[in-house]
Amino acid sequence: MRKVLLISALLLAMSNFCMATDKNSDELLSFINLTPPSVTQQKITNLLGTPAKIEESKKRVMWYYTHGNTNLIISWNKKSELPEKFSFTSTPVVKPTFDNGLARKLKSGQTDISQALKILGPPHDMTIRESKQEMHYSYEGKMLRLFFRNRMLVDFCLY
């Protein structure tokens, strides 16, 4: 559960990064060091404000945030009040061209999520669950998919 909360802090940071125009990559990565107890519904509300939309089901509460071209969905477990899944989407205004040099820096089994963010910057979209994480980067005519298990890069492909 600790990993989920740390990854949740990362996603929170990414959403915060994409909503502000003056954040840089170092500030984004500094959010990774948040302690798990700090990722609570109250903390999220203090950082991001009240969700634009809230949906409740029997087991989960979904919070929806939208800011410009960035969307964040947080799925909370009703029983534990802890985050279960984060879905982050940001549509870039201009798609950059793919740089093969950046892909060479990614190493399966060695690169973790924070290193991937340092190398590639914020992704087009990201889904974070307890043990599996996936990031997509949108480039001109191409898409880069990174698959992580327990925050460590397992596989990536360009299509």
Side-chain angles (χ1 to χ4, degrees), residues 108-119:
S108 294
Q110 296 176 0
T111 305
D112 66 15
I113 286 182
S114 62
Q115 292 168 330
L117 288 171
K118 284 180 186 177
I119 294 168

Side-chain angles (χ1 to χ4, degrees), residues 112-146:
D112 66 15
I113 286 182
S114 62
Q115 292 168 330
L117 288 171
K118 284 180 186 177
I119 294 168
L120 300 170
H124 165 71
D125 67 60
M126 181 176 203
T127 302
I128 301 213
R129 294 189 177 112
E130 184 175 1
S131 63
K132 295 189 274 185
Q133 305 81 39
E134 193 168 335
M135 295 174 17
H136 294 97
Y137 288 86
S138 182
Y139 295 101
E140 207 172 278
K142 296 180 181 180
M143 211 50 176
L144 177 64
R145 176 193 156 280
L146 288 83

Side-chain angles (χ1 to χ4, degrees), residues 1 3-15 38-41 44 48 62-63 65 71-77 81-89 125-130 132-135:
M1 189 51 87
K3 290 179 184 177
V4 172
L5 293 173
L6 288 173
I7 293 170
S8 301
L10 169 66
L11 189 55
L12 170 65
M14 291 175 65
S15 65
S38 68
V39 182
T40 62
Q41 290 182 355
I44 298 285
L48 300 175
M62 306 289 281
W63 286 10
Y65 288 93
N71 297 310
L72 174 66
I73 302 170
I74 305 170
S75 176
W76 299 93
N77 181 308
E81 294 188 356
L82 294 173
E84 287 184 329
K85 177 183 170 187
F86 283 69
S87 297
F88 166 83
T89 306
D125 67 60
M126 181 176 203
T127 302
I128 301 213
R129 294 189 177 112
E130 184 175 1
K132 295 189 274 185
Q133 305 81 39
E134 193 168 335
M135 295 174 17

